[in-house]
């Protein structure tokens, strides 16, 4: 399992989340066209470079968000770094030449209305399967309704993104409560992730939610999670996976609680060296590794906590929520490390 930490928002009702997602969905539109239908533009401003595409026939201009610039450069074989060091005129000229030469293949262009005008939020391959945030949320809610538990859930944490680049939500039950060994009440929960612009897969996980400190534990068992790319027909796969999650939820809930409780009895002889070693194994870098060491020393170094496996795992996962947003890579990496520390060392101790 993975440890999670405190949310920055107050809980939302399921209906409030659905309405927010539905309203954002109404601002989005898609076209299938080719890059050759557009002329690339770049302008230097006080805030930095602004990139755009102008439709060659309608003459409408659309600003490009940052991930979209990366997608254009990748598809045309253009080095993104050059947009930072060359003049706007030279960048425009070179990219438009590449568009003229290589831009005849049909792509999915994803648009969105904003207060500052329409933007292009993604340029994706023709075989990309759209499965948007409103579709994922609707599928989740339909399955909860079929199980008879829809009204038992609320949204405890969410990151909806600005352009659909990320969609992270955590749902927890309102009433189903059990107690950890340390006396903290916990509730059952689920975590879902998506991206509408090609940055992430569609994912779902089971978790428990610790009410006192708003930490959580996410199950990493294979039957307690799913991940599908935006190809083929993900909706059928997700429906089956959700049914599987709900079937195992109560069993997994108890299993995670037991594993966490047992980790309080497992000691690591040299915890600081252990943290440094794990940080190196996962290539966290000096800055993130130092965050973890400082968090462990400030929070968990006491006579009763020194060297406990639970405290070491908490030190990794707590940093994820103190220092990073839900959609950042280090967030997931640190959660994964916390999960593996607990599961792998618990298994090692039990087997020896």
């Amino acid at each position: 399992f993975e440890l999670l930490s405190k949310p920055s928002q107050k809980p939302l009702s399921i209906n409030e989340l659905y309405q927010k997602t539905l309203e954002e969905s109404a601002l989005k539109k898609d076209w299938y066209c080719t890059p050759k239908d557009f002329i690339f533009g770049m302008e230097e401003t006080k805030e930095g470079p602004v990139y755009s595409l102008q439709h060659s026939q309608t003459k409408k201009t659309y600003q490009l968000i940052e991930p979209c610039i990366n997608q254009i450069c990748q598809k045309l074989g253009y080095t993104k770094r050059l947009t930072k060091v060359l003049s706007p005129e030279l960048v425009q000229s070179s990219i438009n030449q590449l568009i003229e030469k290589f831009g005849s293949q049909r792509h999915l262009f994803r648009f969105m209305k904003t207060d500052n005008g329409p933007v292009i939020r993604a340029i994706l391959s023709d075989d990309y399967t759209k499965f948007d945030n409103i579709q994922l949320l609707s599928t989740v809610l339909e399955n909860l309704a079929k199980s008879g538990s829809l009204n038992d859930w609320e949204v405890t944490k969410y990151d909806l993104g600005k352009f659909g680049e990320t969609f992270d939500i955590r749902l927890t039950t309102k009433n189903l409560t059990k107690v950890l060994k340390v006396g903290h009440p916990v509730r059952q929960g689920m975590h879902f992730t998506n991206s509408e612009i090609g940055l992430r897969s569609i994912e779902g996980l089971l978790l428990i939610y610790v009410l006192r400190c708003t930490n959580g534990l996410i199950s990493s068992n294979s039957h307690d999670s799913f991940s599908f790319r935006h190809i083929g027909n993900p909706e059928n796969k997700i429906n089956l996976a959700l049914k599987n999650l709900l079937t195992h939820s109560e069993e997994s809930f108890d299993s995670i609680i037991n594993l966490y409780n047992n980790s309080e009895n497992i000691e690591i002889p040299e915890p600081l060296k252990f943290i440094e070693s794990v940080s190196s194994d996962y290539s966290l870098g000096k800055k993130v590794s130092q965050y973890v060491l400082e968090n462990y020393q400030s929070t968990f170094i006491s006579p009763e906590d020194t060297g406990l496996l639970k405290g070491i795992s908490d030190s990794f996962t707590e940093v994820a929520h103190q220092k990073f947003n839900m959609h950042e890579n280090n967030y997931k990496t640190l959660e994964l490390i916390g999960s593996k520390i607990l599961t792998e060392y618990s298994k090692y101790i039990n087997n020896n």
Side-chain angles (χ1 to χ4, degrees):
F1 53 80
E2 303 158 18
L3 299 176
L4 304 173
S5 190
K6 38 185 172 279
S8 56
Q9 311 100 330
K10 68 177 183 179
L12 282 181
S13 70
I14 293 289
N15 186 58
E16 288 172 327
L17 177 65
Y18 183 82
Q19 289 301 319
K20 285 174 71 74
T21 309
L22 189 63
E23 289 168 7
E24 289 188 359
S25 179
L27 301 174
K28 300 166 184 174
K29 186 169 71 171
D30 297 321
W31 290 348
Y32 283 95
C33 47
T34 72
K36 287 184 72 171
D37 295 325
F38 296 88
I39 300 171
F40 177 83
M42 176 180 172
E43 179 184 359
E44 286 288 354
T45 69
K46 291 181 180 179
E47 291 75 27
V50 174
Y51 307 95
S52 63
L53 286 178
Q54 183 185 66
H55 195 271
S56 55
Q57 292 182 355
T58 66
K59 304 304 179 183
K60 286 187 177 180
T61 299
Y62 304 90
Q63 187 173 328
L64 303 173
I65 68 170
E66 188 65 25
C68 198
I69 301 297
N70 298 332
Q71 290 167 348
I72 286 180
C73 291
Q74 184 179 23
K75 292 177 187 303
L76 297 175
Y78 189 80
T79 304
K80 170 71 178 335
R81 183 175 57 84
L82 295 179
T83 64
K84 308 291 185 183
V85 298
L86 299 181
S87 67
E89 293 78 14
L90 191 53
V91 173
Q92 284 183 193
S93 175
S94 54
I95 289 185
N96 280 319
Q97 286 179 27
L98 289 170
I99 288 176
E100 185 64 29
K101 187 174 182 180
F102 300 111
S104 58
Q105 186 175 357
R106 194 178 89 143
H107 284 76
L108 170 63
F109 282 66
R110 312 213 75 181
F111 297 80
M112 184 172 182
K113 293 180 182 177
T114 73
D115 293 339
N116 297 319
V119 301
I120 299 178
R121 57 197 185 108
I123 301 176
L124 304 167
S125 64
D126 195 14
D127 59 359
Y128 177 90
T129 299
K130 293 184 288 184
F131 193 81
D132 289 345
N133 300 337
I134 191 64
Q135 291 173 271
L136 174 59
L137 184 57
S138 295
T139 304
V140 170
L141 301 186
E142 286 169 9
N143 277 273
L144 289 176
K146 289 178 182 177
S147 71
S149 62
L150 178 59
N151 294 328
D152 298 334
W153 296 82
E154 66 182 2
V155 185
T156 51
K157 192 168 185 179
Y158 55 94
D159 183 349
L160 305 185
K162 187 176 181 181
F163 302 105
E165 68 275 20
T166 185
F167 184 73
D168 279 270
I169 58 170
R170 289 180 186 156
L171 311 179
T172 60
T173 53
K174 299 175 183 176
N175 302 314
L176 179 59
T177 304
K178 295 190 177 182
V179 180
L180 289 175
K181 186 177 179 181
V182 292
H184 303 330
V186 293
R187 289 179 183 166
Q188 190 175 336
M190 294 182 287
H191 177 186
F192 298 99
T193 296
N194 190 32
S195 172
E196 296 180 341
I197 64 172
L199 300 182
R200 307 172 74 171
S201 297
I202 309 157
E203 299 177 350
L205 299 158
L206 289 179
L207 64 90
I208 69 172
Y209 187 73
V210 186
L211 302 182
R212 175 179 169 274
C213 54
T214 62
N215 284 341
L217 317 173
I218 290 186
S219 173
S220 57
N221 295 326
S222 59
H223 57 67
D224 292 342
S225 65
F226 65 79
S227 179
F228 302 114
R229 297 174 61 196
H230 289 77
I231 56 175
N233 186 353
E235 185 168 4
N236 289 340
K237 296 176 184 176
I238 291 169
N239 270 310
L240 290 173
L242 279 167
K243 290 176 183 177
N244 189 53
L245 285 187
L246 293 172
T247 299
H248 290 98
S249 59
E250 190 69 26
E251 174 189 344
S252 297
F253 189 38
D254 291 335
S255 174
I256 299 169
I257 290 173
N258 290 335
L259 187 56
Y260 187 75
N261 284 339
N262 291 338
S263 73
E264 291 195 321
N265 301 318
I266 300 174
E267 294 187 17
I268 303 297
E270 297 182 90
L272 298 183
K273 287 185 177 180
F274 178 82
I275 289 173
E276 290 176 345
S277 176
V278 171
S279 298
S280 176
D281 288 345
Y282 285 89
S283 303
L284 286 183
K286 289 184 179 180
K287 186 175 182 179
V288 179
S289 176
Q290 190 61 34
Y291 285 154
V292 178
L293 286 168
E294 290 172 357
N295 185 65
Y296 178 77
Q297 289 175 295
S298 64
T299 307
F300 297 107
I301 291 293
S302 64
E304 63 271 21
D305 287 340
T306 301
L308 291 181
L309 180 61
K310 180 187 78 69
I312 294 172
S313 177
D314 285 352
S315 67
F316 279 93
T317 53
E318 183 69 19
V319 166
H321 305 277
Q322 290 177 352
K323 302 293 184 181
F324 303 101
N325 294 321
M326 289 177 76
H327 59 269
E328 292 183 279
N329 289 336
N330 277 323
Y331 182 98
K332 284 291 184 184
T333 301
L334 287 163
E335 287 187 344
L336 179 62
I337 293 171
S339 168
K340 289 193 173 183
I341 288 173
L342 285 170
T343 53
E344 295 303 319
Y345 276 83
S346 294
K347 289 178 183 177
Y348 174 80
I349 294 296
N350 290 335
N351 291 335
N352 290 274

